Amino acid sequence: MKPAPFEYHRPTTVGEATSLLADLGHDAELMAGNQSLGIIMANRLATPDHLVDLNRVEELAGVDIREDEVEVGSMTTHRDLELHDELREVLPILPLAAEQIAGPSVRNQGTVGGSIAEADPAGNYPAALVALDADLHVTSGDDGDRTVPAREFFIAYMFTDLAPEELITGVTVSRDPFPAERTGMVFEELKRAAQTFPTVSAGTAVRVDDPAADAPEIEEARVALACVADVPLHVPDAEDAVEGTTLDEDALDAAADAAIEDADPSPEMHADEDWKIELAGEYTRRSLQTAYERASNDDAPDN
Amino acid sequence: MIEFSGEFDSDHPPDELWNYFTDPDILAQCAPGCDHIEQVSDSELEATVSVGVGSVKPTFDVDMTIVEADRPNRLVMEAGGDASRNSFEAVAEMDLAENADGGTTANWHAETNVSGLIASLGQRALGSVADRLVNNFFDDLEDLADEGVPAESKVSAKPGATASLEE
């Protein structure tokens, strides 16, 4: 099927884009990398009267690594993150999340902001950003700029805090909790086939006190899971279970149990509810283990 | 058929809250995605409501009928809506009771049949979104009551009406 007729707008600045949104309101849809919206429109699940294409808004694309934080523009593509060597040094979870999204053609077009705005519970960035406790930045013509913690942004299945006239400009992640030399990060997915959506995924970060020690102690842990609830699932009890430990079996068991307790997945055709709950525990365990290994040995490769 | 239910606590007593639930102007302000509400008769309302999940947001022309209006205890409404390639019918009932703090505890329950494309989203997706929308509605209504925005009960039950969904 082809999409219903719509009027196409191609602003070149954020200001132009937000004033278009302010004028058009509910009748308009923002288009970023167009890796999901086009399909939805071609099936006429969505029939917006106006499409506002952000691909020429250059100010929205790019990665800025500052001393205290990393800023990623909303129109940065998955491919840009995947290939960003410096980002892989300081915040590897984002390149790791990016490189596992679909296939190369999707990654060339798909964007960070598009993924966040779509808020599919299977999405990689939502879980990674919830794990990192990132801030999302949004703007609108009438109300100006607003910052929303990623942990508050995702409200329900494909349902976010974003108002119709708002656009996501980017995300910032504080580098302070994650000094590269003492931190290990993981984005681990289970996929039944290459280039499909994951059945479950885990975004995990671990900071240790002394990476050279025989059994370093975990100072801080972050765990978020995708695909096991109707929003990216932050699992603070799993973090509490391993912080202050050397990640022994008891701590791992407790962390996995916490994830199992919090998981509330929708069954899928190939994965029933019970199995997905079990996977939530297993991927919490695995991702913590790998993150801990990476944190504990600065010579280890990041992936 | 999909069923939803929930509970809502208000600081305002049932008799005061009743006016808000039965004032079409208040409903138009609080109902998520509501463009306008028009009162057709004492017990019938027409509304245009745009609700959706992400990009999928059909605009429904909705007809509502007040089936029971037992002030300030119980309100039952029947509603049906059509949008391009989507439709729904629903029965919603709400019981209000004064709670220990002198406020109100409202228990609500709704049953709906959804057909068309939005039904393909599945019960879980619709359920989590519906919860959010209903909570927004109650929060907005409570805010208006807190601000003391005047509300006037303008609807009554349609004589002899009963509500049920066709299976």
Side-chain angles (χ1 to χ4, degrees):
Chain A
M1 208 155 39
K2 289 193 164 48
F6 57 84
E7 205 172 314
Y8 178 66
H9 307 266
R10 195 157 52 176
T12 55
T13 65
V14 170
E16 275 177 58
T18 51
S19 65
L20 275 167
L21 284 181
D23 291 344
L24 303 170
H26 274 281
D27 297 328
E29 199 68 62
L30 281 173
M31 187 181 96
N34 198 27
Q35 294 310 293
S36 302
L37 182 63
I39 299 168
I40 294 168
M41 286 174 62
N43 286 290
R44 302 214 177 181
L45 285 158
T47 54
D49 295 332
H50 299 269
L51 209 53
V52 180
D53 180 350
L54 295 174
N55 280 284
R56 289 206 175 163
V57 186
E58 285 174 14
E59 62 192 291
L60 289 175
V63 177
D64 186 9
I65 299 175
R66 299 193 281 265
E67 203 169 318
D68 56 337
E69 64 181 9
V70 171
E71 181 174 359
V72 179
S74 59
M75 287 300 289
T76 311
T77 64
H78 310 324
R79 191 77 173 139
D80 288 341
L81 288 192
E82 178 184 355
L83 297 179
H84 204 294
D85 291 336
E86 201 189 338
L87 184 65
R88 207 175 272 269
E89 291 288 315
V90 302
L91 212 60
I93 194 169
L94 290 178
L96 291 170
E99 72 186 17
Q100 294 177 76
I101 294 171
S105 59
V106 170
R107 293 201 293 277
N108 278 328
Q109 293 293 320
T111 65
V112 173
S115 168
I116 296 168
E118 188 186 22
D120 190 312
N124 288 9
Y125 299 124
L129 295 170
V130 163
L132 294 173
D133 198 11
D135 279 328
L136 309 185
H137 304 281
V138 306
T139 188
S140 73
D142 291 338
D143 297 330
D145 300 342
R146 184 166 74 94
T147 298
V148 196
R151 289 177 184 172
E152 292 170 18
F153 181 78
F154 302 99
I155 290 168
Y157 180 88
M158 296 182 103
F159 201 82
T160 70
D161 188 43
L162 198 67
E165 66 281 2
E166 284 180 326
L167 105 86
I168 300 172
T169 54
V171 308
T172 48
V173 180
S174 170
R175 291 181 62 186
D176 180 51
F178 312 111
E181 65 283 2
R182 291 193 286 132
T183 300
M185 289 185 174
V186 174
F187 199 89
E188 191 139 11
E189 297 189 341
L190 172 68
K191 285 188 177 184
R192 68 194 190 281
Q195 305 198 7
T196 57
F197 283 101
T199 303
V200 61
S201 37
T204 296
V206 165
R207 185 184 79 226
V208 298
D209 57 348
D210 176 7
D214 284 344
E217 193 170 291
I218 294 178
E219 286 184 341
E220 184 151 356
R222 301 284 180 80
V223 180
L225 303 168
C227 259
V228 299
D230 66 346
V231 292
L233 186 70
H234 178 219
V235 197
D237 288 349
E239 299 168 356
D240 291 347
V242 299
E243 284 172 2
T245 75
T246 55
L247 204 65
D248 51 44
E249 273 307 304
D250 286 349
L252 276 172
D253 285 347
D257 286 347
I260 285 167
E261 180 69 28
D262 288 356
D264 184 17
S266 303
E268 294 174 49
M269 207 186 294
H270 63 282
D272 68 17
E273 204 174 320
D274 290 343
W275 190 49
K276 288 186 78 164
I277 291 172
E278 195 181 319
L279 286 171
E282 178 58 26
Y283 272 72
T284 298
R285 172 190 292 274
R286 276 189 207 184
S287 63
L288 277 167
Q289 228 157 3
T290 310
Y292 181 69
E293 282 161 19
R294 287 178 186 173
S296 305
N297 178 0
D298 16 358
D299 300 330
D302 283 330
N303 52 12
Chain B
M1 187 170 69
I2 308 176
E3 288 187 59
F4 309 105
S5 61
E7 194 181 276
F8 158 72
D9 283 313
S10 166
D11 294 335
H12 303 270
D15 204 57
E16 184 188 336
L17 220 49
W18 182 266
N19 291 332
Y20 287 84
F21 281 118
T22 53
D23 184 334
D25 295 334
I26 298 287
L27 296 180
Q29 286 182 61
C30 301
C34 182
D35 192 38
H36 75 280
I37 290 185
E38 211 171 303
Q39 187 154 8
V40 182
S41 73
D42 284 351
S43 44
E44 287 163 317
L45 304 171
E46 278 178 9
T48 309
V49 180
S50 177
V51 290
V53 180
S55 310
V56 184
K57 43 191 172 195
T59 300
F60 290 91
D61 290 319
V62 182
D63 295 315
M64 285 172 283
T65 304
I66 312 296
V67 177
E68 284 180 52
D70 171 19
R71 178 182 186 119
N73 304 312
R74 181 171 164 80
L75 188 64
V76 181
M77 272 191 194
E78 191 177 46
D82 284 301
S84 159
R85 299 157 67 85
N86 288 286
S87 69
F88 77 93
E89 51 172 359
V91 174
E93 49 190 35
M94 182 174 61
D95 289 296
L96 305 174
E98 186 159 328
N99 59 32
D101 306 323
T104 303
T105 297
N107 277 290
W108 64 272
H109 176 256
E111 295 176 354
T112 180
N113 285 324
V114 184
S115 60
L117 291 167
I118 204 161
S120 63
L121 288 168
Q123 172 155 5
R124 281 295 298 263
L126 289 174
S128 64
V129 173
D131 276 349
R132 175 71 189 178
L133 294 176
V134 171
N135 287 332
N136 279 354
F137 168 73
F138 283 126
D139 288 346
D140 289 353
L141 191 124
E142 179 79 357
D143 285 346
L144 291 181
D146 287 347
E147 289 166 24
V149 173
E152 186 189 341
S153 182
K154 292 175 190 154
V155 299
S156 56
K158 188 174 182 177
T162 55
S164 68
L165 284 187
E166 287 173 29
E167 278 301 313

